[in-house]
Amino acid sequence: MQNLISKLVILLSSIFIASCTTFQTSGGPFAKSSSPAKKAEGAVLIEQGDPSQELPEEAIQTTDRMALILGPGGAKTFAQAGFIKELSKAEVPIKKIMGLEWGALISALYSAKGQAHEIEWQLFKMDALEQAKEKSFLSILRRQENPQDIWSEFLTEAFSGQKIDSMALPWSCAYDYNGVVRFASSGDVAKAVEKCFFFPPNSKVMRHLAAPEALAKTVEQLKKEGYGPIVYVDVMSGMSNRFKSSYVKEADKILWRSIQRSLEAQVNLLDIEHVVIKTSSFMDDFESKSIMIKKGEGEAKPFISHIANKYNL
């Protein structure tokens, strides 16, 4: 009996020692395991006072690779010109700019020479398109057999044969190719903008639009190229009844609403800086250029303050 008790004591002692050894091996700060252990989700245990287990400092965010995406919106995109103007004044570093539909035009006008005032200068030249006293030149476009000819002439004059690889600031725009979003990256700027640029009734031939899915694709492309933070300048979100116009057909209004809803849905899923510029103007109110530009300037100021704090400018 005594021998049995002695053996039991020895056995329990062995188990206790073994368990202590196992805890030290698997739980110690410098222990190595022969097989990788599965990570526990949602928790990280750090032993207090052990410098080898301190969490690394959060990387300081910078604007070294900031990129802008200018969204669609017809005449309302003139507000984007004012936004860029203020960023330029504040010397906010923009390393690349991309555009969706009408945003392709605004972004290209800036990138061509890297000068904010160039956008306003060229936009105000649009008055020459108005060959009669009309509230909007859309009525003129509707009377043309091929309204795209008017835009081709304007774009050719605005960019004077410039090539994409000679632009002052890296630029690209999204366009639709048989239902697939692609990006203009070489060749003639005017032809690229014309390809990306869509606005009822620029063309009487119906085609797919790039904008409904191009925002997510554009963000993806910029991240692949190593840009960040990415800033989306949006003139369509939060709009209510801004599609009303005597020159706009009901089918065009449905198109714009569809684009608006699609873009708003995409923004909520993307890790980007989202700037909304709200104007009281309609999407075809081209007479309100100056008002919309001023609105963009006003919205830029709080954004500049925001990124100055966030990115230690």
Side-chain angles (χ1 to χ4, degrees), residues 210-278:
E213 60 175 331
L215 178 58
K217 296 287 186 183
T218 302
V219 171
E220 179 183 340
Q221 180 65 25
L222 285 169
K223 287 185 176 181
K224 280 183 182 177
E225 295 174 10
Y227 289 97
I230 297 169
V231 182
Y232 173 49
V233 187
D234 179 2
V235 297
M236 291 186 71
S237 287
M239 285 176 56
S240 60
N241 200 29
R242 290 288 127 200
F243 304 105
K244 183 180 178 182
S245 169
S246 58
Y247 296 104
V248 179
K249 295 178 181 178
E250 191 59 35
D252 296 338
K253 296 175 188 177
I254 294 171
L255 258 174
W256 287 334
R257 289 191 189 102
S258 298
I259 293 172
Q260 178 189 16
R261 285 194 293 269
S262 175
L263 290 171
E264 288 174 345
Q266 290 176 70
V267 166
N268 293 332
L269 301 174
L270 299 171
D271 180 23
I272 57 177
E273 298 284 346
H274 182 205
V275 180
V276 178
I277 305 177
K278 294 183 178 179

Coordinates of all heavy atoms in Angstrom, one line a residue, residues 210-278:
A210 N -19.6 55.0 -68.4 CA -18.5 54.5 -67.5 C -18.8 54.8 -66.0 O -18.4 54.0 -65.2 CB -17.2 55.2 -67.9
A211 N -19.4 55.9 -65.7 CA -19.5 56.3 -64.3 C -20.2 55.3 -63.4 O -19.8 55.2 -62.2 CB -20.3 57.7 -64.3
P212 N -21.3 54.6 -63.8 CA -21.9 53.8 -62.8 C -21.1 52.8 -62.0 O -21.4 52.4 -60.9 CB -23.0 53.1 -63.6 CG -23.3 54.0 -64.7 CD -22.0 54.7 -65.0
E213 N -20.0 52.4 -62.6 CA -19.1 51.4 -61.9 C -17.6 51.9 -61.9 O -16.7 51.2 -61.4 CB -19.2 50.0 -62.5 CG -18.8 50.0 -64.0 CD -18.8 48.5 -64.5 OE1 -18.6 47.6 -63.6 OE2 -19.0 48.3 -65.7
A214 N -17.3 53.0 -62.5 CA -16.0 53.5 -62.7 C -15.3 54.0 -61.5 O -14.1 53.9 -61.4 CB -15.9 54.5 -63.8
L215 N -16.0 54.5 -60.5 CA -15.4 55.0 -59.3 C -14.6 53.9 -58.6 O -13.4 54.1 -58.3 CB -16.4 55.6 -58.4 CG -15.9 56.2 -57.0 CD1 -14.8 57.3 -57.3 CD2 -17.0 56.7 -56.2
A216 N -15.2 52.8 -58.3 CA -14.5 51.7 -57.6 C -13.3 51.3 -58.4 O -12.2 51.0 -57.9 CB -15.4 50.6 -57.4
K217 N -13.4 51.2 -59.7 CA -12.3 50.7 -60.6 C -11.2 51.8 -60.6 O -10.0 51.4 -60.7 CB -12.8 50.5 -62.0 CG -13.9 49.4 -62.2 CD -13.2 48.1 -62.1 CE -14.2 47.0 -62.4 NZ -13.7 45.6 -62.2
T218 N -11.6 53.0 -60.6 CA -10.6 54.1 -60.6 C -9.8 54.1 -59.3 O -8.5 54.2 -59.3 CB -11.2 55.5 -60.8 OG1 -12.0 55.5 -62.0 CG2 -10.2 56.6 -60.8
V219 N -10.4 53.9 -58.2 CA -9.8 53.8 -56.9 C -8.8 52.6 -56.9 O -7.7 52.7 -56.4 CB -10.8 53.7 -55.7 CG1 -10.1 53.4 -54.4 CG2 -11.6 55.0 -55.6
E220 N -9.3 51.5 -57.4 CA -8.5 50.3 -57.5 C -7.2 50.5 -58.3 O -6.1 50.1 -58.0 CB -9.3 49.2 -58.1 CG -8.6 47.8 -58.2 CD -9.4 46.8 -58.9 OE1 -10.7 46.9 -58.9 OE2 -8.8 45.8 -59.5
Q221 N -7.4 51.2 -59.4 CA -6.3 51.5 -60.3 C -5.2 52.4 -59.6 O -4.0 52.2 -59.7 CB -6.8 52.2 -61.6 CG -5.7 52.6 -62.6 CD -5.0 51.3 -63.2 OE1 -5.6 50.2 -63.2 NE2 -3.8 51.5 -63.6
L222 N -5.7 53.5 -58.9 CA -4.8 54.4 -58.3 C -4.0 53.6 -57.1 O -2.8 53.9 -56.9 CB -5.5 55.5 -57.7 CG -6.0 56.6 -58.7 CD1 -7.0 57.6 -58.1 CD2 -4.8 57.3 -59.3
K223 N -4.7 52.8 -56.4 CA -4.0 52.0 -55.4 C -2.9 51.1 -56.0 O -1.9 50.9 -55.4 CB -5.0 51.2 -54.5 CG -5.8 52.1 -53.6 CD -6.8 51.3 -52.7 CE -7.5 52.3 -51.8 NZ -8.4 51.5 -50.9
K224 N -3.2 50.5 -57.1 CA -2.3 49.6 -57.8 C -1.0 50.4 -58.1 O 0.1 49.9 -58.1 CB -2.9 49.0 -59.1 CG -3.8 47.8 -58.8 CD -4.2 47.3 -60.2 CE -5.2 46.1 -60.0 NZ -5.7 45.6 -61.3
E225 N -1.2 51.7 -58.5 CA -0.1 52.5 -58.9 C 0.6 53.1 -57.7 O 1.6 53.9 -57.8 CB -0.6 53.6 -59.8 CG -1.1 53.1 -61.1 CD -1.7 54.2 -62.0 OE1 -1.6 55.4 -61.7 OE2 -2.3 53.9 -63.0
G226 N 0.1 52.8 -56.5 CA 0.8 53.3 -55.2 C 0.4 54.7 -54.8 O 1.1 55.3 -53.9
Y227 N -0.8 55.2 -55.2 CA -1.2 56.5 -54.8 C -2.1 56.4 -53.5 O -2.8 55.4 -53.3 CB -2.0 57.2 -55.9 CG -1.2 57.6 -57.1 CD1 -1.1 56.9 -58.2 CD2 -0.5 58.8 -57.0 CE1 -0.3 57.3 -59.3 CE2 0.3 59.2 -58.1 CZ 0.4 58.4 -59.2 OH 1.2 58.8 -60.3
G228 N -2.0 57.4 -52.7 CA -2.8 57.5 -51.5 C -2.3 58.7 -50.7 O -1.1 59.0 -50.7
P229 N -3.2 59.4 -50.0 CA -4.6 59.2 -49.9 C -5.3 59.5 -51.3 O -4.7 60.3 -52.1 CB -5.1 60.1 -48.8 CG -4.1 61.3 -48.8 CD -2.8 60.6 -49.2
I230 N -6.5 59.0 -51.5 CA -7.3 59.2 -52.7 C -8.5 60.1 -52.3 O -9.2 59.8 -51.4 CB -7.7 57.9 -53.3 CG1 -6.5 57.1 -53.7 CG2 -8.6 58.2 -54.5 CD1 -6.8 55.7 -54.1
V231 N -8.6 61.2 -53.0 CA -9.7 62.2 -52.7 C -10.7 62.2 -53.8 O -10.4 62.4 -55.0 CB -9.1 63.6 -52.5 CG1 -10.2 64.6 -52.1 CG2 -8.0 63.6 -51.4
Y232 N -12.0 61.9 -53.5 CA -13.0 61.9 -54.5 C -13.8 63.2 -54.3 O -14.5 63.4 -53.3 CB -13.9 60.7 -54.3 CG -15.2 60.7 -55.2 CD1 -15.1 61.0 -56.6 CD2 -16.4 60.4 -54.7 CE1 -16.2 61.0 -57.4 CE2 -17.6 60.4 -55.5 CZ -17.5 60.7 -56.8 OH -18.6 60.7 -57.6
V233 N -13.9 64.0 -55.4 CA -14.6 65.3 -55.3 C -15.9 65.1 -56.0 O -16.0 64.9 -57.3 CB -13.8 66.4 -56.0 CG1 -14.4 67.8 -55.8 CG2 -12.3 66.5 -55.5
D234 N -17.0 65.1 -55.2 CA -18.3 64.7 -55.6 C -19.3 65.9 -55.7 O -19.4 66.6 -54.7 CB -18.7 63.7 -54.6 CG -20.1 63.1 -54.8 OD1 -20.8 63.4 -55.8 OD2 -20.5 62.3 -54.0
V235 N -19.9 66.1 -56.8 CA -20.9 67.2 -56.9 C -22.3 66.6 -57.1 O -23.3 67.4 -57.3 CB -20.6 68.1 -58.1 CG1 -19.3 68.8 -57.9 CG2 -20.6 67.4 -59.4
M236 N -22.5 65.3 -57.0 CA -23.8 64.7 -57.2 C -24.4 64.1 -55.9 O -25.7 64.1 -55.9 CB -23.7 63.6 -58.2 CG -23.4 64.1 -59.6 SD -23.4 62.8 -60.9 CE -25.2 62.5 -61.0
S237 N -23.7 63.7 -54.9 CA -24.3 63.2 -53.7 C -25.1 64.2 -53.0 O -24.8 65.4 -52.9 CB -23.2 62.7 -52.8 OG -22.5 61.5 -53.3
G238 N -26.2 63.7 -52.5 CA -27.1 64.5 -51.7 C -28.0 65.4 -52.5 O -28.8 66.3 -52.0
M239 N -27.9 65.3 -53.9 CA -28.8 66.1 -54.7 C -30.2 65.7 -54.6 O -30.6 64.5 -54.5 CB -28.4 65.9 -56.2 CG -27.1 66.7 -56.6 SD -26.6 66.3 -58.3 CE -28.1 66.8 -59.2
S240 N -31.1 66.7 -54.7 CA -32.5 66.4 -54.7 C -33.2 67.3 -55.7 O -33.1 68.5 -55.6 CB -33.2 66.6 -53.3 OG -33.0 67.9 -52.8
N241 N -33.8 66.8 -56.7 CA -34.6 67.5 -57.7 C -33.7 68.5 -58.4 O -34.1 69.6 -58.8 CB -35.7 68.3 -57.1 CG -36.8 68.6 -58.2 OD1 -36.9 67.9 -59.2 ND2 -37.5 69.7 -58.0
R242 N -32.4 68.1 -58.6 CA -31.5 69.0 -59.4 C -31.4 68.5 -60.9 O -30.5 69.0 -61.6 CB -30.1 69.0 -58.8 CG -30.0 69.7 -57.4 CD -30.2 71.2 -57.6 NE -31.2 71.7 -56.8 CZ -31.8 72.9 -57.0 NH1 -31.5 73.6 -58.0 NH2 -32.7 73.3 -56.2
F243 N -32.3 67.7 -61.3 CA -32.3 67.2 -62.7 C -33.3 67.9 -63.5 O -33.5 67.6 -64.7 CB -32.5 65.7 -62.7 CG -31.5 64.9 -61.9 CD1 -31.9 64.4 -60.7 CD2 -30.2 64.8 -62.3 CE1 -30.9 63.7 -59.9 CE2 -29.3 64.1 -61.6 CZ -29.6 63.5 -60.4
K244 N -34.1 68.8 -62.8 CA -35.2 69.4 -63.5 C -34.7 70.5 -64.5 O -33.9 71.3 -64.1 CB -36.2 70.0 -62.5 CG -37.4 70.7 -63.1 CD -38.3 71.3 -62.0 CE -39.5 71.9 -62.5 NZ -40.3 72.6 -61.5
S245 N -35.2 70.4 -65.7 CA -34.9 71.4 -66.7 C -35.8 71.3 -67.9 O -36.2 70.2 -68.3 CB -33.4 71.3 -67.1 OG -33.1 72.1 -68.3
S246 N -36.0 72.4 -68.5 CA -36.9 72.4 -69.7 C -36.1 71.8 -70.9 O -36.7 71.4 -71.9 CB -37.3 73.8 -70.1 OG -36.2 74.6 -70.3
Y247 N -34.8 71.7 -70.8 CA -34.0 71.1 -71.9 C -33.7 69.7 -71.7 O -33.1 69.1 -72.6 CB -32.7 71.9 -72.0 CG -32.9 73.4 -72.4 CD1 -32.8 74.4 -71.4 CD2 -33.2 73.8 -73.7 CE1 -33.0 75.7 -71.7 CE2 -33.4 75.1 -74.0 CZ -33.3 76.1 -73.0 OH -33.5 77.4 -73.4
V248 N -34.0 69.1 -70.6 CA -33.6 67.7 -70.3 C -34.7 66.8 -70.5 O -35.8 67.0 -69.8 CB -33.0 67.6 -68.9 CG1 -32.6 66.2 -68.6 CG2 -31.7 68.5 -68.8
K249 N -34.6 65.7 -71.2 CA -35.6 64.7 -71.4 C -35.7 63.9 -70.2 O -34.8 63.7 -69.4 CB -35.3 63.9 -72.6 CG -35.3 64.6 -73.9 CD -34.9 63.7 -75.1 CE -34.9 64.4 -76.4 NZ -34.4 63.5 -77.5
E250 N -36.9 63.2 -70.0 CA -37.1 62.4 -68.9 C -36.1 61.2 -68.8 O -35.7 60.8 -67.8 CB -38.6 61.8 -68.9 CG -39.0 61.1 -67.6 CD -38.9 62.0 -66.4 OE1 -39.2 63.2 -66.5 OE2 -38.6 61.5 -65.3
A251 N -35.8 60.7 -70.0 CA -34.8 59.6 -70.1 C -33.5 60.0 -69.5 O -32.8 59.2 -68.9 CB -34.7 59.1 -71.5
D252 N -33.1 61.3 -69.8 CA -31.8 61.8 -69.3 C -31.8 61.9 -67.8 O -30.8 61.6 -67.1 CB -31.5 63.2 -69.9 CG -31.3 63.1 -71.4 OD1 -31.0 62.0 -71.9 OD2 -31.5 64.1 -72.1
K253 N -33.0 62.3 -67.2 CA -33.1 62.4 -65.8 C -32.9 61.1 -65.1 O -32.3 60.9 -64.1 CB -34.4 63.0 -65.4 CG -34.6 64.5 -65.9 CD -36.1 64.9 -65.6 CE -36.3 66.3 -66.3 NZ -37.7 66.7 -66.0
I254 N -33.5 60.1 -65.7 CA -33.4 58.7 -65.2 C -32.0 58.2 -65.2 O -31.5 57.6 -64.3 CB -34.3 57.7 -66.0 CG1 -35.8 58.1 -65.8 CG2 -34.1 56.3 -65.6 CD1 -36.8 57.3 -66.7
L255 N -31.3 58.6 -66.3 CA -29.9 58.2 -66.4 C -29.1 58.8 -65.3 O -28.3 58.2 -64.6 CB -29.3 58.7 -67.7 CG -29.1 57.7 -68.9 CD1 -28.7 58.5 -70.1 CD2 -28.1 56.7 -68.5
W256 N -29.3 60.1 -65.0 CA -28.5 60.8 -64.0 C -28.8 60.3 -62.6 O -27.9 60.2 -61.8 CB -28.8 62.3 -64.1 CG -28.2 63.0 -65.2 CD1 -27.1 62.6 -65.9 CD2 -28.7 64.2 -65.9 NE1 -26.8 63.5 -66.9 CE2 -27.8 64.5 -66.9 CE3 -29.7 65.0 -65.7 CZ2 -27.9 65.6 -67.8 CZ3 -29.9 66.2 -66.5 CH2 -29.0 66.4 -67.5
R257 N -30.1 60.0 -62.4 CA -30.4 59.4 -61.0 C -29.8 58.1 -60.8 O -29.3 57.8 -59.7 CB -31.9 59.3 -60.9 CG -32.7 60.7 -60.8 CD -34.1 60.5 -60.4 NE -34.8 61.8 -60.5 CZ -35.6 62.1 -61.5 NH1 -35.8 61.3 -62.5 NH2 -36.2 63.3 -61.5
S258 N -29.7 57.3 -61.9 CA -29.1 56.0 -61.8 C -27.6 56.1 -61.5 O -27.0 55.4 -60.6 CB -29.3 55.2 -63.1 OG -30.6 54.9 -63.3
I259 N -26.9 57.0 -62.2 CA -25.5 57.3 -61.9 C -25.3 57.8 -60.5 O -24.4 57.3 -59.8 CB -25.0 58.3 -62.9 CG1 -25.0 57.7 -64.3 CG2 -23.6 58.8 -62.5 CD1 -24.6 58.7 -65.4
Q260 N -26.1 58.7 -60.1 CA -26.0 59.2 -58.7 C -26.1 58.1 -57.6 O -25.3 58.0 -56.7 CB -27.1 60.3 -58.4 CG -27.1 60.9 -57.0 CD -28.3 61.7 -56.7 OE1 -29.3 61.6 -57.5 NE2 -28.3 62.5 -55.7
R261 N -27.1 57.3 -57.8 CA -27.3 56.2 -56.8 C -26.1 55.2 -56.8 O -25.7 54.8 -55.7 CB -28.6 55.5 -57.1 CG -29.9 56.3 -56.6 CD -31.1 55.4 -56.6 NE -31.5 54.9 -58.0 CZ -32.3 55.6 -58.7 NH1 -32.9 56.7 -58.3 NH2 -32.6 55.1 -59.9
S262 N -25.7 54.9 -58.0 CA -24.5 54.0 -58.1 C -23.3 54.5 -57.4 O -22.6 53.8 -56.7 CB -24.3 53.7 -59.6 OG -23.1 52.9 -59.7
L263 N -23.0 55.8 -57.7 CA -21.8 56.4 -57.1 C -21.9 56.5 -55.6 O -20.9 56.2 -54.9 CB -21.6 57.8 -57.7 CG -21.2 57.8 -59.2 CD1 -21.2 59.2 -59.7 CD2 -19.8 57.2 -59.4
E264 N -23.0 56.9 -55.1 CA -23.2 56.9 -53.6 C -23.0 55.6 -53.0 O -22.4 55.5 -51.9 CB -24.6 57.5 -53.3 CG -24.7 59.0 -53.6 CD -26.1 59.5 -53.4 OE1 -27.1 58.7 -53.3 OE2 -26.3 60.8 -53.4
A265 N -23.5 54.5 -53.7 CA -23.3 53.2 -53.1 C -21.9 52.8 -53.1 O -21.4 52.1 -52.2 CB -24.1 52.2 -53.9
Q266 N -21.1 53.1 -54.2 CA -19.7 52.8 -54.2 C -18.9 53.5 -53.2 O -18.0 52.9 -52.6 CB -19.2 53.1 -55.6 CG -19.7 52.3 -56.7 CD -19.2 52.7 -58.1 OE1 -18.0 52.6 -58.4 NE2 -20.1 53.3 -58.9
V267 N -19.2 54.8 -53.0 CA -18.4 55.6 -52.0 C -18.4 54.9 -50.6 O -17.4 54.9 -49.9 CB -19.0 57.0 -51.9 CG1 -18.4 57.7 -50.7 CG2 -18.6 57.8 -53.2
N268 N -19.6 54.4 -50.2 CA -19.7 53.8 -48.9 C -18.8 52.6 -48.7 O -18.6 52.2 -47.5 CB -21.2 53.4 -48.6 CG -22.1 54.7 -48.5 OD1 -21.6 55.8 -48.2 ND2 -23.3 54.5 -48.9
L269 N -18.3 52.0 -49.8 CA -17.5 50.8 -49.7 C -16.0 51.1 -49.9 O -15.2 50.1 -49.8 CB -18.0 49.8 -50.7 CG -19.5 49.3 -50.6 CD1 -19.8 48.4 -51.8 CD2 -19.7 48.6 -49.3
L270 N -15.7 52.3 -50.1 CA -14.3 52.6 -50.5 C -13.6 53.4 -49.3 O -14.2 54.2 -48.7 CB -14.2 53.5 -51.8 CG -14.8 52.8 -53.0 CD1 -14.9 53.8 -54.1 CD2 -14.0 51.6 -53.4
D271 N -12.3 53.1 -49.2 CA -11.5 53.8 -48.2 C -10.8 55.0 -48.8 O -9.7 54.9 -49.2 CB -10.4 52.8 -47.6 CG -9.5 53.4 -46.6 OD1 -10.0 54.4 -46.0 OD2 -8.4 52.9 -46.4
I272 N -11.6 56.1 -48.9 CA -11.1 57.3 -49.6 C -11.6 58.5 -48.8 O -12.5 58.4 -48.0 CB -11.6 57.4 -51.0 CG1 -13.1 57.3 -51.1 CG2 -11.0 56.3 -51.9 CD1 -13.7 57.5 -52.5
E273 N -11.0 59.6 -49.1 CA -11.4 60.9 -48.6 C -12.6 61.4 -49.6 O -12.4 61.5 -50.8 CB -10.3 62.0 -48.6 CG -9.1 61.6 -47.7 CD -9.4 61.8 -46.3 OE1 -10.4 62.5 -46.0 OE2 -8.6 61.3 -45.4
H274 N -13.7 61.6 -49.0 CA -14.9 61.9 -49.8 C -15.3 63.4 -49.6 O -15.7 63.7 -48.5 CB -16.1 61.0 -49.5 CG -17.3 61.2 -50.3 ND1 -18.6 60.8 -49.9 CD2 -17.5 61.7 -51.5 CE1 -19.4 61.1 -50.8 NE2 -18.8 61.7 -51.8
V275 N -15.2 64.2 -50.6 CA -15.6 65.6 -50.5 C -16.9 65.9 -51.3 O -16.9 65.6 -52.5 CB -14.5 66.6 -51.0 CG1 -14.9 68.0 -50.9 CG2 -13.2 66.3 -50.2
V276 N -17.9 66.3 -50.7 CA -19.2 66.6 -51.4 C -19.3 68.1 -51.5 O -19.3 68.9 -50.5 CB -20.4 66.0 -50.6 CG1 -21.7 66.4 -51.3 CG2 -20.3 64.5 -50.5
I277 N -19.5 68.6 -52.7 CA -19.7 70.0 -53.0 C -21.2 70.2 -53.4 O -21.6 69.7 -54.5 CB -18.8 70.6 -54.1 CG1 -17.4 70.3 -53.8 CG2 -19.1 72.1 -54.3 CD1 -16.4 70.8 -54.9
K278 N -22.0 70.8 -52.5 CA -23.4 70.9 -52.8 C -23.7 72.3 -53.4 O -23.2 73.3 -52.9 CB -24.2 70.7 -51.6 CG -24.2 69.3 -51.0 CD -25.1 69.2 -49.8 CE -25.1 67.7 -49.3 NZ -25.9 67.5 -48.1

